[in-house]
Amino acid sequence: MFSEFSKELEERMRFLENIDRQDRTDGTAREQRLRQITRETGQFLSLLLVNAPAGDIIEIGTSAGYSTVWLAFAAKETGRKVKTFEVSAEKVALARETFRIAGLEEYIELIHNDFLEEADRLGDIAFCFLDAEKEIYQSCFDAIAGKMVRNGLIVADNATDQFQALKPMITNALADPRFDCLTVPIGNGEFISRRK
């Protein structure tokens, strides 16, 4: 998967990485920042996803499509699609360009809407990457927990660098008998919940 990055896609990923770095230091408003995962986290997600059971692959929080590309390479390996949800029109436009450059459009369904308004329409979920506004993590977890297939994974970003904001969801997930949970110290911390 990782060897499939074209020169153009590598340039796009570096471009997005540079915007993300600049956003964090130049006073860009939080809701406008790209707030991307690290490259290492993207590779980790790809390796997790390529082994996921049958079911939908979803991403909550597309931003400019950086993390979606990593997910889409794994989806391509297994002949599936990533359904990714984003509320910002500006970020949707950036993401569409990223997907075009990656040549992965046929493996991605970009939904320009609030995930919580779309959740009821989803079927069985095999893999969810959650990287949205932290105050909705618990609501998102609640919306998908019952839809997760056996051995399906929910991966929530920012489990260490924003632990206090995620603590209610993490505490509830750890107490949920349907899931085995673990925080992995990669990138900004990935909280992984496996459906038993």
Side-chain angles (χ1 to χ4, degrees), residues 23-35:
D23 281 353
R24 293 172 191 270
T25 59
D26 68 3
T28 299
R30 180 164 176 72
E31 64 277 359
Q32 293 175 329
R33 294 181 203 160
L34 296 188
R35 294 179 285 169

Side-chain angles (χ1 to χ4, degrees), residues 128 130-131 133-142 144 154-159 162-176 179 181-183 190-193:
C128 171
L130 175 53
D131 189 15
E133 298 301 329
K134 307 316 168 209
E135 62 269 15
I136 69 165
Y137 271 42
Q138 182 64 57
S139 297
C140 291
F141 189 94
D142 290 344
I144 62 176
I154 301 170
V155 183
D157 194 39
N158 303 109
Q162 296 187 50
F163 174 74
Q164 287 304 317
L166 271 63
K167 188 175 179 181
M169 183 210 71
I170 290 172
T171 301
N172 289 337
L174 288 168
D176 190 325
F179 290 92
C181 303
L182 174 71
T183 297
E190 303 306 311
F191 182 72
I192 303 176
S193 302

Side-chain angles (χ1 to χ4, degrees), residues 1 45-51 57 68-80 82:
M1 293 180 294
L45 292 174
S46 289
L47 293 177
L48 285 179
L49 176 53
V50 80
N51 294 294
I57 300 164
T68 320
V69 165
W70 294 105
L71 297 173
F73 273 117
K76 179 181 175 186
E77 284 278 314
T78 58
R80 297 195 268 180
V82 178

Side-chain angles (χ1 to χ4, degrees), residues 11-29:
E11 288 172 0
R12 178 66 175 188
M13 298 299 260
R14 281 196 298 274
F15 169 73
L16 295 175
E17 289 163 4
N18 289 335
I19 291 175
D20 182 59
R21 261 192 300 279
Q22 186 176 336
D23 281 353
R24 293 172 191 270
T25 59
D26 68 3
T28 299

Side-chain angles (χ1 to χ4, degrees), residues 32-184:
Q32 293 175 329
R33 294 181 203 160
L34 296 188
R35 294 179 285 169
Q36 293 168 171
I37 60 170
T38 65
R39 182 172 286 249
E40 180 184 40
T41 302
Q43 292 173 329
F44 178 68
L45 292 174
S46 289
L47 293 177
L48 285 179
L49 176 53
V50 80
N51 294 294
D56 285 346
I57 300 164
I58 66 170
E59 177 185 44
I60 305 171
T62 313
S63 192
Y66 186 92
S67 54
T68 320
V69 165
W70 294 105
L71 297 173
F73 273 117
K76 179 181 175 186
E77 284 278 314
T78 58
R80 297 195 268 180
K81 267 190 171 186
V82 178
K83 292 180 183 176
T84 184
F85 300 85
E86 177 57 56
V87 295
S88 163
E90 294 80 12
K91 290 178 182 177
V92 164
L94 282 170
R96 288 195 195 286
E97 179 64 7
T98 300
F99 304 155
R100 184 195 64 74
I101 290 169
L104 293 168
E105 294 147 300
E106 67 183 288
Y107 301 100
I108 300 166
E109 180 182 352
L110 176 55
I111 300 160
H112 181 196
N113 199 6
D114 184 329
F115 168 75
L116 292 170
E117 294 180 13
E118 300 283 338
D120 287 345
R121 297 195 245 298
L122 294 172
D124 291 340
I125 301 170
F127 189 94
C128 171
F129 180 52
L130 175 53
D131 189 15
E133 298 301 329
K134 307 316 168 209
E135 62 269 15
I136 69 165
Y137 271 42
Q138 182 64 57
S139 297
C140 291
F141 189 94
D142 290 344
I144 62 176
K147 295 175 180 282
M148 297 302 298
V149 301
R150 187 170 186 277
N151 291 321
L153 298 176
I154 301 170
V155 183
D157 194 39
N158 303 109
T160 52
D161 74 328
Q162 296 187 50
F163 174 74
Q164 287 304 317
L166 271 63
K167 188 175 179 181
M169 183 210 71
I170 290 172
T171 301
N172 289 337
L174 288 168
D176 190 325
R178 298 173 295 176
F179 290 92
D180 290 319
C181 303
L182 174 71
T183 297
V184 178

